[in-house]
Amino acid sequence: MSMAPQTAQPPVPAGRVGTTEPAAPITAEAEASARRARKKNRLVALAFLAPFLAAFLLFVVWPMIHGFYLSFTNQSLTGSGGSLVGFDNYAEAFSDPKMWGSIRNTVWFTLISTVPLVIIAMAMALLVNTGLPGQWLWRLSFFMPFLLASTVISQIWSWIFNPEIGLANEVLGAVGIGPIAWLQTPHLDLISITIATVWWTVGFNFLLYLAALQNIPEVQYEAAAVDGASRWRQIWSITIPQLMPVTGVVFVLQILASLKLFDQAYQMLGGISSDTSRPIVQYIFEAGFVGYEFGYAAAISYVFFALILVVGIVQMTIVNRRKGQ
Amino acid sequence: MTTATSVADVTDIKRQLKPGERHFGPARIAAFVVLAVMALTWLFPFLWAVVTSFKTEGDAASGSVSLIGENGLTTQAYEKILGEGNVYIWAWNSLWTSLVITVITVAISALAAYAFSRLHFRGRTALFFAVIASIIVPPQVLIIPLYYEMLAFNLVDTPWGLILPQIVMAPIVLILKKFFDAVPIELEDAARVDGAGRLRVFLSVVLPLSRPILGAVSIFVFIQAWNNFLWPFIVLNDTMLMTLPVGLQTVISAYGVQYAQVMAQAVLAALPLIVVFLFFQRQIVQGVATTGFGGQ
């Protein structure tokens, strides 16, 4: 890309190019003016960047640095402590069964939520993309839950999963199953949360797939139809392969989103913390704002960040290798 | 560009080829049935909340799977909530703080994205890389130091303490930069020859061209801000300052087992975004598709 002012004002580049010419005064003058232009460019760029950069430094960069520092102190929320304790917090975290339990719960939730969230979304998009009448209604049905706040969906699903009078048990009771204590049974609680989460957020992935489907050129279907391919055949050998790159992206996004589980788990369980359901973000919250141990909470935050980084790097390596092939 | 007749031909072929269109074969009927069952399944939980909210507390707690309770339809739950709750205040707090977050976020991101796209300065690549790299940092990692920072600034339990940490959205900068990259530079050069400064060009040439993408990212930022839970939950203690998601959460325990009221609240809280969706469906679908992939 060339600099806009130079293309607009031919004399300046002419002067700069002519450094070998004996006309030294012109060159010097041109260079001075180019320097002035560069300086002005820098100031203009700074002016455009300043508001975002200020916010970026204050609310992302500084907290990252300070959080890392805090993780090496015994800082408390009440203001006491604050002296450096070396790696004590990390040593404590790595020998803390609650920390390991919260990582296990988080990874388990990510495993059981990601697969349905990708496959159901793809199925929905493929069905909607057949052009069946009622497009508006399909999109509303599948995407609407995504627009609801975590509080709203938690209240609705806590009500559905209510062990005595909830809809889930009423329906299952009619066919002789239950009653099941969905949110009060260890291990089952995280599965119930997964069900609610799939209902809540699948619409986002559905829209990503729908956008991808609509980008597949019609020409390809036309060519396949001319060759006598059936519709099933077209879906199988044109649509699905074309969706593979998108599926990679959706998987990456979904895994990173699932690892951040907190809102709905915390609220559906009514803030009650159990070793079989507590996700790691909830453990950060509890250590910091219930236990007041800011230093320790900061250390767990960085353990969580390391987890995200490792998962992210692994995913990127896989995606790039695929691209390379 | 082709002639009118060939365009018509192409659309005609498209019609025939779109899987199943105009053919009511068994496959198409099966697809329709599957789709309808899925749509009903997805609508049902919310509809069940609506149904419950129009029951008396007694009927709601009876647990029977009837659409209308034994004591008929009633708006008692809504009257109770709108009469004595803080729902209005929370809704207002949610609305204005989300709007402020959206305006600031989109404004500062657009300015930065333009600088990254069009202006030349030393360190541009490194700086842009730093901003993009920050996308991998989950906001949850920053809550502890951010809370500490808000304490230092005396912003805990204030609207600005709620707003400011939410205005940095690196993916938005990336999406807007990509868009500005694709705007033909000739349009800007023409204005610059006429003597317009960078800001002038940005405001009067680039921004008007960017209206659709700005609309799309604005809707995305607004929905995120409106539904955000963790940060408002941490930084706000004063009931009068709470946003809707945080406020409603405090009421569950207060109302105890009053299911009809809890469901009426959930429905009321959901309503604004559902109405927005009904009006702006196309833009929202577009916005999610653009922003969703933007982070990549």
Side-chain angles (χ1 to χ4, degrees), chain A residues 4 45 48-49 58 63 66 75 130 136 143 147-149 151 155 159 162 165 167 170 199 218 222 225 231 262-263, chain B residues 14 16-17 19-20 42 44 52 60-61 63 65 111 121 145 148-149 189 227 229-230 245 252 259 263 270 273 277:
Chain A
F48 271 84
L49 281 170
L58 270 173
H66 190 229
Q75 182 67 49
T130 53
W136 175 85
F143 185 66
L147 292 172
L148 306 180
T151 318
Q155 290 179 348
W159 165 231
N162 184 299
I165 52 173
L167 181 68
E170 292 295 330
W199 176 79
E218 287 289 340
E222 287 159 22
R231 300 223 155 73
F262 172 73
D263 296 9
Chain B
K14 217 156 89 182
Q16 286 175 4
L17 292 174
W42 249 257
F44 196 74
T52 307
V65 195
L111 284 168
F121 54 93
Y148 203 88
E149 189 177 335
D189 288 345
N227 283 341
F229 176 75
L230 181 57
I252 312 176
Y259 298 108
M263 288 306 114
L273 282 191
F277 183 73

Side-chain angles (χ1 to χ4, degrees), chain A:
Chain A
M1 232 180 274
S2 66
M3 274 194 182
Q6 287 179 5
T7 50
Q9 297 157 348
V12 177
R16 286 179 83 196
V17 170
T19 39
T20 50
E21 285 170 26
I26 300 171
T27 311
E29 200 178 289
E31 262 181 6
S33 104
R35 223 181 0 255
R36 272 198 304 277
R38 273 202 298 276
K39 195 176 172 195
K40 192 176 167 244
N41 275 346
R42 213 165 37 234
L43 285 176
V44 171
L46 192 64
F48 271 84
L49 281 170
F52 178 83
L53 277 191
F56 183 64
L57 289 173
L58 270 173
F59 306 119
V60 177
V61 178
W62 172 246
M64 277 212 74
I65 297 168
H66 190 229
F68 194 57
Y69 169 79
L70 281 177
S71 72
F72 293 99
T73 71
N74 59 358
Q75 182 67 49
S76 147
L77 176 58
T78 55
S80 65
S83 43
L84 284 164
V85 292
F87 284 92
D88 282 9
N89 288 325
Y90 289 97
E92 190 186 338
F94 285 119
S95 58
D96 181 352
K98 279 189 172 180
M99 207 276 303
W100 287 113
S102 71
I103 288 184
R104 197 186 53 231
N105 296 335
T106 306
V107 171
W108 174 235
F109 170 80
T110 304
L111 289 176
I112 58 176
S113 64
T114 299
V115 172
L117 275 167
V118 174
I119 289 174
I120 294 175
M122 192 202 267
M124 284 172 165
L126 284 172
L127 283 167
V128 170
N129 198 51
T130 53
L132 285 161
Q135 291 288 316
W136 175 85
L137 183 68
W138 312 131
R139 281 190 207 166
L140 176 75
S141 316
F142 298 144
F143 185 66
M144 192 266 294
F146 185 76
L147 292 172
L148 306 180
S150 60
T151 318
V152 171
I153 72 106
S154 301
Q155 290 179 348
I156 292 175
W157 283 91
S158 300
W159 165 231
I160 290 174
F161 284 140
N162 184 299
E164 284 101 34
I165 52 173
L167 181 68
N169 279 351
E170 292 295 330
V171 172
L172 289 179
V175 290
I177 304 171
I180 299 167
W182 297 91
L183 292 167
Q184 290 76 21
T185 312
H187 302 294
L188 181 61
D189 48 7
L190 212 51
I191 291 171
S192 311
I193 288 166
T194 305
I195 295 172
T197 305
V198 170
W199 176 79
W200 182 27
T201 62
V202 76
F204 184 77
N205 295 346
F206 157 71
L207 284 191
L208 295 185
Y209 270 119
L210 204 55
L213 282 171
Q214 281 159 3
N215 282 337
I216 297 177
E218 287 289 340
V219 188
Q220 301 194 355
Y221 293 111
E222 287 159 22
V226 169
D227 290 347
S230 70
R231 300 223 155 73
W232 267 116
R233 184 76 218 190
Q234 288 175 29
I235 290 179
W236 199 245
S237 34
I238 298 175
T239 316
I240 304 275
Q242 294 253 18
L243 284 183
M244 288 330 280
V246 188
T247 303
V249 173
V250 174
F251 254 106
V252 169
L253 292 176
Q254 186 55 56
I255 288 173
L256 291 175
S258 284
L259 288 171
K260 296 172 190 166
L261 171 69
F262 172 73
D263 296 9
Q264 70 272 37
Y266 181 80
Q267 293 178 77
M268 283 175 70
L269 299 177
I272 295 162
S273 167
S274 93
D275 290 342
T276 57
S277 67
R278 178 195 304 111
I280 186 158
V281 174
Q282 184 169 343
Y283 197 43
I284 296 173
F285 169 78
E286 283 173 10
F289 296 97
V290 182
Y292 290 175
E293 292 180 290
F294 257 39
Y296 189 50
I300 304 168
S301 302
Y302 272 84
V303 173
F304 171 55
F305 185 36
L307 176 71
I308 293 270
L309 270 186
V310 168
V311 172
I313 289 168
V314 168
Q315 288 176 331
M316 260 161 63
T317 319
I318 294 172
V319 168
N320 286 339
R321 196 171 294 166
R322 282 260 173 75
K323 264 184 202 156
Q325 275 170 4

Side-chain angles (χ1 to χ4, degrees), chain B residues 33-291:
Chain B
V33 170
V34 174
L35 199 53
V37 169
M38 283 177 91
L40 265 179
T41 313
W42 249 257
L43 280 175
F44 196 74
F46 187 71
L47 292 180
W48 184 243
V50 175
V51 164
T52 307
S53 71
F54 285 107
K55 287 180 178 176
T56 61
E57 288 298 344
D59 286 342
S62 78
S64 71
V65 195
S66 57
L67 291 184
I68 298 171
E70 272 175 37
N71 297 304
L73 289 171
T74 170
T75 53
Q76 271 173 16
Y78 288 95
E79 284 161 28
K80 197 89 183 232
I81 278 155
L82 294 174
E84 58 188 42
N86 290 321
V87 176
Y88 298 112
I89 296 163
W90 296 332
W92 169 245
N93 290 341
S94 274
L95 181 68
W96 84 262
T97 56
S98 302
L99 281 175
V100 170
I101 289 168
T102 307
V103 170
I104 299 180
T105 305
V106 175
I108 66 176
S109 305
L111 284 168
Y114 184 75
F116 284 128
S117 169
R118 282 288 196 264
L119 305 179
H120 297 260
F121 54 93
R122 214 183 314 148
R124 183 175 83 160
T125 317
L127 199 56
F128 185 62
F129 180 78
V131 171
I132 297 316
S134 78
I135 293 175
I136 192 74
V137 183
Q140 291 87 346
V141 167
L142 301 179
I143 55 170
I144 298 288
L146 266 178
Y147 187 83
Y148 203 88
E149 189 177 335
M150 292 301 120
L151 273 178
F153 289 161
N154 251 330
L155 288 177
V156 169
D157 226 2
T158 67
W160 288 106
L162 170 73
I163 291 167
L164 289 175
Q166 297 190 61
I167 62 172
V168 186
M169 290 199 187
I172 306 292
V173 177
L174 176 62
I175 290 157
L176 292 177
K177 182 199 176 272
K178 277 186 188 161
F179 181 85
F180 294 152
D181 283 346
V183 173
I185 200 154
E186 291 74 21
L187 291 171
E188 292 173 53
D189 288 345
R192 287 178 58 77
V193 169
D194 292 344
R198 281 290 181 184
L199 189 63
R200 236 343 248 295
V201 171
F202 177 68
L203 293 177
S204 59
V205 179
V206 180
L207 280 193
L209 284 171
S210 322
R211 230 175 270 155
I213 189 92
L214 290 175
V217 297
S218 298
I219 288 170
F220 191 78
V221 175
F222 183 85
I223 294 172
Q224 286 224 323
W226 177 274
N227 283 341
N228 197 0
F229 176 75
L230 181 57
W231 181 247
F233 176 61
I234 286 169
V235 85
L236 301 174
N237 290 310
D238 184 346
T239 316
M240 292 297 122
L241 290 177
M242 282 176 181
T243 57
L244 212 44
V246 183
L248 289 183
Q249 201 261 345
T250 65
V251 190
I252 312 176
S253 39
Y255 282 151
V257 289
Q258 305 210 278
Y259 298 108
Q261 283 185 35
V262 172
M263 288 306 114
Q265 288 206 77
V267 171
L268 281 178
L271 222 49
L273 282 191
I274 292 176
V275 171
V276 168
F277 183 73
L278 292 181
F279 278 102
F280 296 104
Q281 197 192 48
R282 192 179 298 267
Q283 288 88 335
I284 291 176
V285 169
Q286 202 76 52
V288 167
T290 324
T291 9

Side-chain angles (χ1 to χ4, degrees), chain B residues 6-22:
Chain B
S6 64
V7 168
D9 287 346
V10 169
T11 27
D12 215 40
I13 292 168
K14 217 156 89 182
R15 274 269 168 83
Q16 286 175 4
L17 292 174
K18 198 86 179 173
E21 194 155 25
R22 274 203 264 161

